């Protein structure tokens, strides 16, 4: 049996270490347009350059989802395929993957394909991908993994902490006045991905220290009990280290890791931002 784990670039992994036997991982990139320049969110992307150009323009930058054909090509070479996409409320990536699944099964009805709308981005997507690899390692059947990952997704959440919101304001996703307050008063926006995959504000914290306290409080309030945490961050390893230390004071055995945001997650989280996935 051959397996493939596929994610769009709402996942921050470019590759996965210690893949299960007979398993491959494929990242299907979104693209990001800044003025007239198109950036492909793959391993070759210079994210620093993209972000610098994004902040230099007053024009709203935009992302575009992979096409069904992009997904179709990624399906080749495996009998059992799992696809994880960024929340459908931010992108059409999930719809493209579902259409590709339909087309692929018309030609290859013997294949097994399960498409997951993460209802999230960043760290929570990374958690789901990590769990899929572990479930394949356990030797479960395709249907058993579908059942297990569906249950697991009910036990994961996303917390975001944003220090800049220029891009959200330019795209009309956030009021200009709120955006100005965030910039001028050193406000951090602390929020979560809702059960329907939308981003919801929980707190506005002034300064990094209060944002750190708010993030820990919200994770504990949501029911965190010492499980795995993956933090995707845009140039903010200091916050990751501080958050990890505070959590480990309460849960010394907590499994906490962090990694840089993908191009797409950098686009949404912006400089200093974090997309923190955790188990409850």
């Amino acid at each position: 049996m051959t397996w493939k784990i596929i994610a769009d670039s709402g996942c921050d992994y470019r590759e996965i270490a210690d893949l299960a036997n007979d398993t491959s991982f494929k990242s299907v990139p979104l693209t990001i347009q800044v003025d007239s320049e198109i950036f492909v969110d793959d391993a070759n992307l210079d994210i620093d350059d993209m972000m610098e150009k994004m902040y230099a323009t007053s024009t709203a930058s935009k992302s575009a989802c992979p096409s069904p054909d992009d997904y179709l090509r990624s399906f080749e070479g495996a009998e059992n395929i799992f696809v994880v996409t960024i929340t459908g409320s931010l992108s059409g990536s999930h719809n493209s993957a579902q259409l590709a699944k339909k087309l692929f099964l018309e030609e290859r009805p013997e294949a097994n394909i399960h498409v997951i709308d993460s209802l999230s981005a960043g760290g929570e997507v990374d958690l789901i991908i990590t769990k899929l690899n572990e479930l394949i390692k356990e030797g479960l059947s395709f249907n058993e993994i579908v059942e297990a990952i569906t249950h697991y997704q009910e036990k994961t959440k996303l917390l975001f902490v944003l220090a800049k919101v220029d891009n959200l304001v330019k795209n009309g996703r956030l009021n200009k006045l709120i955006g100005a307050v965030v910039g001028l008063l050193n406000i951090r926006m602390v929020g979560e991905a809702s059960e329907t995959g939308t981003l919801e504000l929980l707190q506005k914290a002034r300064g990094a220290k209060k944002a750190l306290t708010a993030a820990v409080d919200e994770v504990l309030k949501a029911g965190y009990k010492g499980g795995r945490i993956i933090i995707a961050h845009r140039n903010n390893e200091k916050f990751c280290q501080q958050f990890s230390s505070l959590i480990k004071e309460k849960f010394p055995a907590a499994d906490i890791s962090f990694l840089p945001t993908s191009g797409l997650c950098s686009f949404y989280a912006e400089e200093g931002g974090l997309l923190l996935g955790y188990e409850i």
Side-chain angles (χ1 to χ4, degrees), residues 150-188:
T150 300
H151 178 70
Y152 179 74
Q153 195 176 355
E154 294 171 355
K155 302 296 183 182
T156 62
K157 290 181 71 68
L158 177 81
L159 186 83
F160 62 83
V161 182
L162 306 181
K164 288 177 70 69
V165 292
D166 302 40
N167 197 35
L168 293 173
V169 171
K170 287 178 187 175
N171 280 280
R173 295 182 183 273
L174 194 65
N175 182 281
K176 287 183 179 180
L177 180 60
I178 294 177
V181 168
V182 170
L184 292 173
L185 299 182
N186 197 23
I187 298 292
R188 306 300 200 270

Side-chain angles (χ1 to χ4, degrees), residues 130-142:
T130 301
K131 187 65 173 180
L132 281 169
N133 187 44
E134 291 176 351
L135 292 169
I136 294 170
K137 283 183 179 181
E138 289 177 20
L140 302 180
S141 70
F142 179 84

Side-chain angles (χ1 to χ4, degrees), residues 6 12 38 71 74 96 120 147 257 266:
I6 297 167
D12 301 285
I38 304 294
Y71 277 112
S74 76
S96 284
S120 193
E147 183 178 354
S257 59
S266 298

Side-chain angles (χ1 to χ4, degrees), residues 2 81 123 145 168 178 240 244 254 274 276:
T2 53
I81 302 162
I145 294 175
L168 293 173
I178 294 177
C240 297
S244 180
L274 303 104
L276 185 155

Side-chain angles (χ1 to χ4, degrees), residues 9-267:
S9 50
C11 171
D12 301 285
Y13 293 127
R14 303 302 194 183
E15 60 183 8
I16 298 177
D18 194 27
L19 272 169
N21 290 335
D22 300 314
T23 302
S24 58
F25 172 72
K26 175 71 174 176
S27 176
V28 181
L30 282 84
T31 57
I32 298 159
Q33 181 175 349
V34 180
D35 285 333
S36 60
E37 189 169 358
I38 304 294
F39 295 90
V40 179
D41 191 12
D42 59 16
N44 298 315
L45 175 63
D46 184 337
I47 299 176
D48 292 340
D49 178 58
M50 181 193 78
M51 297 295 287
E52 184 179 336
K53 290 175 178 175
M54 189 177 82
Y55 285 127
T57 180
S58 59
T59 306
S61 301
K62 299 176 181 178
S63 63
C65 68
S67 69
D69 196 48
D70 292 330
Y71 277 112
L72 274 172
R73 288 194 297 271
S74 76
F75 293 167
E76 294 293 341
E79 300 160 275
N80 300 293
I81 302 162
F82 291 93
V83 187
V84 186
T85 72
I86 190 171
T87 174
S89 70
L90 291 178
S91 170
S93 183
H94 183 73
N95 289 338
S96 284
Q98 288 284 23
L99 180 55
K101 171 184 174 179
K102 179 181 178 182
L103 295 171
F104 192 80
L105 290 177
E106 287 175 359
E107 298 293 327
R108 297 268 302 279
E110 74 283 1
N112 295 312
I113 305 175
H114 182 56
V115 180
I116 301 168
D117 184 344
S118 71
L119 302 174
S120 193
E124 188 173 5
V125 179
D126 305 335
L127 281 176
I128 295 168
I129 294 294
T130 301
K131 187 65 173 180
L132 281 169
N133 187 44
E134 291 176 351
L135 292 169
I136 294 170
K137 283 183 179 181
E138 289 177 20
L140 302 180
S141 70
F142 179 84
N143 288 334
E144 286 172 334
I145 294 175
V146 169
E147 183 178 354
I149 202 66
T150 300
H151 178 70
Y152 179 74
Q153 195 176 355
E154 294 171 355
K155 302 296 183 182
T156 62
K157 290 181 71 68
L158 177 81
L159 186 83
F160 62 83
V161 182
L162 306 181
K164 288 177 70 69
V165 292
D166 302 40
N167 197 35
L168 293 173
V169 171
K170 287 178 187 175
N171 280 280
R173 295 182 183 273
L174 194 65
N175 182 281
K176 287 183 179 180
L177 180 60
I178 294 177
V181 168
V182 170
L184 292 173
L185 299 182
N186 197 23
I187 298 292
R188 306 300 200 270
M189 303 189 75
V190 181
E192 66 178 1
S194 72
E195 292 182 358
T196 57
T198 58
L199 302 182
E200 295 186 352
L201 180 64
L202 296 172
Q203 294 190 42
K204 286 182 278 189
R206 188 166 188 176
K209 187 174 181 180
K210 289 185 178 178
L212 179 65
T213 300
V216 172
D217 287 348
E218 291 295 344
V219 166
L220 296 176
K221 191 190 305 180
Y224 177 75
K225 298 180 181 66
R228 178 179 285 153
I229 297 176
I230 299 179
I231 311 173
H233 69 98
R234 173 61 189 164
N235 289 333
N236 201 347
E237 191 162 323
K238 180 180 179 181
F239 186 105
C240 297
Q241 295 281 8
Q242 292 172 329
F243 180 89
S244 180
S245 295
L246 289 174
I247 289 294
K248 288 191 174 185
E249 286 178 8
K250 298 179 181 295
F251 304 99
D255 178 2
I256 304 174
S257 59
F258 25 94
L259 72 165
T261 44
S262 65
L264 183 71
C265 289
S266 298
F267 173 80

